Amino acid sequence: MSGDTDHGAAAIAAARVERRWAGLSIGIICVLVVLAAYTGIHQAVMPQAQVETADPRTLHISGEFIESNLGSAVEPDGSVTVRAIGQQYSFTPQCILIPTDTPVRFRATSADVIHGFLIEHTNVNTMLVPGYISAATTRFSTPADLVMPCHEFCGAGHEGMWGRIKVIEKSAFQKLAADRRRMTCVAQ
Amino acid sequence: MLHSRRLILAHFWLAFAGFGIALVLGEWQMFIRSPLHAWIGNPEWYYRSVTAHGTAMAYVFPTLVSMGFGYAITEAALKRPLIGARWAWTGFALVAVGTVTAVVPVSLGLASVLYTFYPPMIGSPFYYIGVVLVVVGSWIWVALMSVNLYTWKRANRGTPVPLAMFANVAGSYLWAWTAVGAAIELLFQIIPAALGLTTTIDAGLARVFFSWTLHAIVYFWLMPTYIAYYTIIPRAIGGRLFSDPMARISFALFLVVAMPIGVHHLFADPEVGAGFKFMHSVFTALVALPTLLTVFTICASVEIAGRLRGGKGLLGWVATLPWRNPMMLAIAFSFVMLGFGGAGGIINMSYQLDASIHNTQWITGHFHLIFGGAIVIMYFAIAYDLWPHLTGRALDSFRLMRLQLWSWFIGMIVLTFPWHYVGVLGMPRRMAFYDYADPAIAPQALSVIASVIGGAILVVSGALFVAVLVRGHRAVRVEPGAYRFSVAVHQPQRVPAALNGFGLWVSLMLALTVINYGFPIVHLLSLPNTSVPVVRIGAAK
Amino acid sequence: MTEEPIFSLRNRWFTTAVAVTAGIAVVSATVGFLWLPTLQADARLAGMWDAICSAAGIVRAAPNESLVVQGTYQTSGVIAFPETMENASAISIGRGATLALPCTVCHGARGLSEADSPNLAGQYPLAIFKQLVDYKSGARVNAIMSPRVAGMSDQDMRDLAAYYAYLPRLPGQHPATAGATPRIVESGAPMRNIAPCATCHGSVDYKAGSAWLEGQSPVYLAAQLRAFATGARHNDINQQMRNIARGMSSAEIDQAAQYYAGQP
């Protein structure tokens, strides 16, 4: 490897061992990259596809993040879109209602500083950066009550920023959807 | 013979003083948010402490260790006094002044923004200016390393640069370029906002700039550790360095691939395109290569030591290693923690698996294991090894040193393993308190208590470390002789030009930065309406 | 040998390093920009160029696939950031003082109420301005306030806010109650999504648009918390206060109201 020629046989042997190890190392890295890529694609866990922007100043005045449009919406294709906002120190809606066995797409953004958006025990885990819209897709197989903490420091009240997720049977969800266009599990 | 002993000692002692205070703060944080303590009244105290802990541990402590160690290497490896000692003291003064400037507003609660800044939250300008001063002080060190290297090279044409100095300068160049991302963020985005000159900031762009620094800074922290692996350990345990060129290749690779990979910190961010995320993921995998090469070379070097001491057979050499030698313990512990930490890191760097643990306590566990564990335990080893040369006195509290290294290792494992586990459960980071009475997070309580115990062991170990060094200042005078570095099995008489300088590697580093960061930065800069209002922290009552 | 030129096609180190680096970059870019986008579950792509742009992070317009549902009640239209309010001029404060004459009946001669209306002296200007604008738009409704605000201009409201913010904060008319800070005020209740009050309302940190609560009437404070909890009051932007009030028990509401009333 050194390009020198005046070493003895031992040096040549050492260089050979070294080259083999370097080859093995490269092999390990390739396997890891392929493995990660394969599992990700296979299980559809990928970073969001698009970059979109939103102005945190006017979220509550116009556009898809106005108060009455937040929550879970049933799309024409049967999938569900959940729109949410993170702000100091809560998510709105603070309890998100989701049906089982349905593709769910989250669209969320921040109204002030950086927040985290994490549903415990799932792979839904993204950042809310003011100015940009975050997206995540998932699917729930069984009913559950889950917590949704903000996982990025967002100010002195950060420790109080816990939302909740309620996953209910698809049939029960559809009943609710019959007479409401945006659903949440916020108690009123 | 080291000439600038006071300079080097000043760096180490300031580093370890900051480290000691931050260590105690860290354990306090663990304790007050655990089930063992009632909720603290004002959560802001916790965030204040996290900011101070992070700032001291991430910016001040490793930078000073690298600087001090770098000056020692320069004099020991080049066998001549440091050129520019006065400048070195200026750099030290800037770091010291910067640290105080940053810590005062933090302790007053005027800059509880955490060491990662998180704009659009903006704290007192003095905090950011202090951090900039620390960085500027360290850049003086970078310049001095470069000047010393090239002066020596001019005087010694045709002779290979000593490995320790080659690695040291690689580390300094890495830092110089690494720090640029955060420096741009601070100088052009945050400080104008903190001074009230601007009222908006592009938080997404700031995150991209910060990612430029945030990952490679870990490799900067790692550099003294790797230098110790290659150039101190084989000598200290009575072995030989297996391969000198392989060591140079590893350091050159760190220089090239450590920096343009930071977007893997932004896999879950909305402002960077998925294509760049994948590219950074691939290059992040590549950075495992120099580490794997190091693991091989160092294991082979250690094997040589074992065999020279009479070890036979496939694994017999392990038993004959000098296990009572603190340096042997340090390298073994460091490798174990590097192994676990590296395995965890493979999850983090994966474009897809990251989602399951992104920004949970797993991440805190990961970087404490790598930095606090694998890296810092070698900082201890470096100090132990250098101390007699700096004080001119014996450092012979070997029992205490072994106890210190053992307790650091055990403490770090007890701290970080439960941390990883609760991270997998989804426990979020950096909260002033958690309601463990709630069934949703009650299962995390036991693990958190375990981590508090691990932290307590670390505090004891940190105190032991300081005690060993203080005893070293009072021990009997000795003549330690010249400071020596490891000798390779085949000490090179000549090395290829590419491995004797940095032209090729620095060029590749710059080119890769442009490829991996150029478009995302230019694109975000060009977006007209992504700047958002600044949210001031510690605002008037 | 150390004198050999590095940046030369005849230097094996140079050619190999550049080729390997470029090769990895090209392969990873091909996978990341061409292949992976087609596998994205949430991608909306129209051809290869679209895939590349999308993977590069070129900003997309938000999809218009589902109609935005409009609310059945008026919500606040105020943009509540520090930049909403400029620093008040003396002229503005003076105009505010004149405009404030009719307000003194309920809010006191110096902005300190003796009824159960809010004290306004030393209140954050943005908090006052926002409530006035919300009364005018109908986002907040009150039998006394709504008609009085109807004729005010934007500048009138800014002047009033400037005047009351300028008045010195004084201890309220309420006797100080000794005793420990209630848990709900000091620490909130994290798992019910309640952050400590002081992290927004000024004494620990300030969230733009929030009100200074110390010394306010306990009756007023408790009534507002209950109104937020039921949704009867809904002019808090993005439900920031409703989210908190909803989780509070009736006893906690009273404790919080009593505590703040007793603070200087």
Side-chain angles (χ1 to χ4, degrees):
Chain A
M1 292 233 83
S2 69
D4 285 344
T5 52
D6 50 352
H7 288 334
I12 294 164
R16 193 173 59 231
V17 175
E18 219 168 62
R19 257 199 302 275
R20 282 186 188 157
W21 171 257
L24 180 66
S25 302
I26 292 166
I28 291 172
I29 289 165
C30 290
V31 169
L32 287 173
V33 169
V34 172
L35 203 69
Y38 176 79
T39 50
I41 292 159
H42 198 63
Q43 298 172 7
V45 185
M46 303 258 266
Q48 69 185 74
Q50 264 104 16
V51 174
E52 297 171 54
T53 61
D55 186 347
R57 277 162 285 217
T58 55
L59 293 178
H60 61 296
I61 298 173
S62 62
E64 62 176 313
F65 293 105
I66 61 170
E67 188 176 317
S68 49
N69 201 43
L70 298 177
S72 311
V74 180
E75 301 294 342
D77 64 359
S79 69
V80 165
T81 300
V82 178
R83 289 186 184 78
I85 275 180
Q87 63 187 339
Q88 290 172 323
Y89 296 100
S90 60
F91 296 100
T92 301
Q94 66 184 163
C95 184
I96 290 173
L97 192 68
I98 289 172
T100 54
D101 301 319
T102 310
V104 179
R105 194 160 58 114
F106 291 95
R107 288 176 64 75
T109 187
S110 164
D112 39 43
V113 300
I114 292 165
H115 297 282
F117 187 92
L118 162 79
I119 303 175
E120 289 200 0
H121 306 293
T122 72
N123 286 335
V124 177
N125 186 345
T126 187
M127 304 299 301
L128 306 185
V129 180
Y132 301 86
I133 298 173
S134 303
T137 53
T138 190
R139 202 182 171 96
F140 294 85
S141 52
T142 49
D145 287 303
L146 303 169
V147 289
M148 183 177 71
C150 165
H151 63 50
E152 191 58 279
F153 174 65
C154 58
H158 168 53
E159 72 286 342
M161 191 165 168
W162 289 77
R164 290 190 183 264
I165 298 275
K166 198 176 181 65
V167 185
I168 61 172
E169 290 291 352
K170 192 174 182 176
S171 53
F173 185 88
Q174 281 167 338
K175 255 181 231 150
L176 285 173
D179 48 60
R180 277 196 283 166
R181 295 178 64 195
R182 296 290 179 267
M183 277 148 292
T184 71
C185 43
V186 173
Q188 266 300 358
Chain B
M1 166 83 185
L2 298 174
H3 300 268
S4 307
R5 287 191 296 269
R6 285 186 51 202
L7 175 75
I8 298 163
L9 268 177
H11 280 82
F12 277 129
W13 268 122
L14 185 60
F16 296 140
F19 163 76
I21 295 167
L23 181 64
V24 173
L25 285 180
E27 171 61 0
W28 178 78
Q29 290 153 215
M30 296 298 295
F31 176 61
I32 56 118
R33 60 177 217 183
S34 78
L36 303 174
H37 191 276
W39 293 353
I40 52 166
N42 182 348
E44 202 272 330
W45 282 94
Y46 170 80
Y47 301 114
R48 211 180 277 198
S49 178
V50 179
T51 308
H53 175 83
T55 305
M57 289 298 203
Y59 298 140
V60 180
F61 168 52
T63 306
L64 281 168
V65 168
S66 293
M67 290 167 74
F69 190 35
Y71 294 133
I73 291 171
T74 307
E75 297 198 328
L78 303 185
K79 298 189 172 63
R80 53 196 276 175
L82 180 73
I83 299 167
R86 192 170 295 175
W87 279 104
W89 278 109
T90 310
F92 174 76
L94 277 174
V95 174
V97 170
T99 304
V100 173
T101 311
V103 165
V104 168
V106 169
S107 56
L108 295 175
L110 299 175
S112 302
V113 292
L114 308 196
Y115 83 98
T116 33
F117 307 143
Y118 293 129
M121 277 190 280
I122 296 288
S124 159
F126 290 104
Y127 172 60
Y128 308 109
I129 291 168
V131 173
V132 169
L133 288 180
V134 170
V135 173
V136 171
S138 70
W139 279 345
I140 293 182
W141 166 74
V142 173
L144 286 176
M145 293 301 97
S146 192
V147 167
N148 277 277
L149 175 69
Y150 285 98
T151 314
W152 183 91
K153 273 179 96 168
R154 257 211 314 276
N156 296 272
R157 288 193 195 281
T159 316
V161 174
L163 174 62
M165 190 61 186
F166 181 84
N168 177 36
V169 177
S172 76
Y173 287 172
L174 174 64
W175 172 238
W177 188 235
T178 291
V180 166
I184 294 173
E185 184 197 8
L186 285 169
L187 294 175
F188 294 100
Q189 292 194 283
I190 292 180
I191 290 179
L195 292 172
L197 303 175
T198 54
T199 56
T200 61
I201 193 164
D202 188 329
L205 178 62
R207 284 177 73 78
V208 172
F209 279 130
F210 197 73
S211 81
W212 167 326
T213 296
L214 186 57
H215 194 72
I217 197 173
V218 180
Y219 293 96
F220 167 60
W221 301 338
L222 198 69
M223 278 295 178
T225 294
Y226 272 47
I227 295 172
Y229 286 168
Y230 281 106
T231 68
I232 295 181
I233 293 297
R235 181 261 296 154
I237 64 170
R240 292 270 194 282
L241 177 61
F242 184 75
S243 165
D244 181 284
M246 199 54 131
R248 288 170 201 264
I249 290 172
S250 295
F251 285 106
L253 279 176
F254 272 125
L255 198 50
V256 177
V257 286
M259 188 257 130
I261 61 176
V263 163
H264 75 253
H265 287 240
L266 307 182
F267 280 160
D269 270 40
E271 74 274 2
V272 179
F276 284 104
K277 289 176 181 173
F278 183 78
M279 281 187 78
H280 282 244
S281 179
V282 170
F283 279 100
T284 311
L286 208 62
V287 88
L289 183 59
T291 296
L292 288 173
L293 295 181
T294 301
V295 169
F296 171 79
T297 306
I298 300 306
C299 286
S301 307
V302 171
E303 182 185 345
I304 292 171
R307 295 204 184 281
L308 284 174
R309 294 168 63 92
K312 301 262 182 280
L314 191 61
L315 289 172
W317 58 271
V318 176
T320 58
L321 286 170
W323 289 107
R324 296 182 62 78
N325 181 339
M327 303 305 276
M328 186 63 230
L329 277 185
I331 177 83
F333 292 153
S334 181
F335 261 43
V336 171
M337 292 190 279
L338 188 69
F340 282 114
I346 286 166
I347 312 267
N348 306 349
M349 67 103 207
S350 151
Y351 178 64
Q352 294 91 354
L353 298 182
D354 172 66
S356 54
I357 43 82
H358 168 77
N359 224 1
T360 64
Q361 297 279 8
W362 167 287
I363 301 299
T364 340
H366 168 72
F367 68 73
H368 278 81
L369 187 55
I370 287 276
F371 176 45
I375 294 176
V376 168
I377 206 165
M378 292 307 293
Y379 288 3
F380 298 151
I382 291 167
Y384 289 157
D385 197 56
L386 270 177
W387 225 247
H389 298 268
L390 297 174
T391 60
R393 292 168 189 270
L395 192 72
D396 49 11
S397 324
F398 291 112
R399 262 179 61 101
L400 217 51
M401 286 188 224
R402 282 196 297 269
L403 184 64
Q404 191 267 324
L405 294 168
W406 268 107
S407 55
W408 191 263
F409 172 65
I410 293 169
M412 196 51 78
I413 297 289
V414 176
L415 173 81
T416 56
F417 279 36
W419 233 350
H420 279 83
Y421 172 67
V422 293
V424 174
L425 296 182
M427 188 179 185
R429 287 169 70 180
R430 294 164 162 173
M431 285 189 165
F433 37 81
Y434 297 84
D435 186 356
Y436 299 101
D438 191 284
I441 60 173
Q444 298 160 3
L446 266 183
S447 304
V448 173
I449 292 173
S451 285
V452 177
I453 295 168
I457 300 172
L458 291 176
V459 171
V460 172
S461 180
L464 284 177
F465 172 65
V466 173
V468 169
L469 295 189
V470 170
R471 285 177 70 160
H473 283 276
R474 298 183 183 156
V476 290
R477 288 194 173 279
V478 289
E479 178 42 62
Y483 189 80
R484 292 182 302 112
F485 295 100
S486 311
V487 177
V489 176
H490 303 283
Q491 194 67 8
Q493 301 306 307
R494 291 170 298 175
V495 291
L499 293 181
N500 205 42
F502 297 97
L504 175 58
W505 313 113
V506 168
S507 308
L508 277 176
M509 172 175 83
L510 298 180
L512 261 187
T513 306
V514 172
I515 292 171
N516 281 6
Y517 269 109
F519 183 82
I521 288 174
V522 170
H523 175 56
L524 288 175
L525 274 173
S526 73
L527 291 181
N529 46 14
T530 47
S531 284
V532 301
V534 160
V535 175
R536 295 188 194 279
I537 295 297
K541 306 282 181 268
Chain C
M1 203 157 170
T2 48
E3 308 304 324
E4 75 201 82
I6 291 174
F7 297 95
S8 152
L9 289 177
R10 299 175 60 182
N11 186 324
R12 205 163 51 87
W13 286 91
F14 173 73
T15 47
T16 310
V18 172
V20 169
T21 310
I24 294 171
V26 168
V27 170
S28 62
T30 311
V31 174
F33 288 86
L34 291 176
W35 185 45
L36 286 178
T38 61
L39 302 170
Q40 285 273 10
D42 58 337
R44 309 178 297 273
L45 302 173
M48 193 163 77
W49 182 241
D50 203 28
I52 294 173
C53 289
S54 172
I58 301 283
V59 169
R60 296 320 189 77
N64 203 8
E65 53 202 280
S66 59
L67 289 169
V68 172
V69 173
Q70 298 297 329
T72 53
Y73 48 84
Q74 181 71 37
T75 52
S76 178
V78 177
I79 295 175
F81 281 100
E83 65 201 76
T84 310
M85 304 299 281
E86 299 148 11
N87 285 333
S89 65
I91 299 169
S92 176
I93 294 170
R95 275 180 39 87
T98 315
L99 288 168
L101 283 175
C103 313
T104 54
V105 182
C106 295
H107 291 289
R110 299 280 294 163
L112 296 168
S113 170
E114 289 173 44
D116 282 325
S117 317
N119 297 334
L120 299 178
Q123 183 56 273
Y124 298 108
L126 180 55
I128 299 176
F129 175 71
K130 177 177 179 300
Q131 298 309 317
L132 292 173
V133 174
D134 286 348
Y135 278 126
K136 187 169 177 179
S137 73
R140 188 176 178 186
V141 180
N142 177 282
I144 300 167
M145 287 302 291
S146 299
R148 284 176 191 270
V149 172
M152 284 187 195
S153 70
D154 182 81
Q155 190 56 48
D156 290 343
M157 299 190 234
R158 287 178 189 276
D159 295 340
L160 273 170
Y163 168 66
Y164 277 115
Y166 157 82
L167 289 179
R169 248 178 224 165
L170 285 173
Q173 306 297 315
H174 314 280
T177 48
T181 312
R183 168 105 159 197
I184 193 70
V185 170
E186 187 172 49
S187 305
M191 302 309 285
R192 282 185 276 149
N193 196 193
I194 301 170
C197 308
T199 54
C200 287
H201 285 284
S203 54
V204 167
D205 220 327
Y206 181 64
K207 181 173 164 70
S210 312
W212 177 258
L213 300 178
E214 279 77 350
Q216 297 293 1
S217 147
V219 177
Y220 176 76
L221 288 177
Q224 296 310 310
L225 281 169
R226 293 202 163 87
F228 277 128
T230 59
R233 183 176 166 186
H234 45 68
N235 70 319
D236 52 327
I237 292 171
N238 299 326
Q239 303 206 34
Q240 52 191 252
M241 200 56 222
R242 275 168 285 171
N243 283 342
I244 286 168
R246 233 180 253 131
M248 293 173 78
S249 71
S250 190
E252 285 169 341
I253 286 178
D254 291 331
Q255 284 169 13
Q258 286 297 338
Y259 169 78
Y260 271 106
Q263 294 302 303

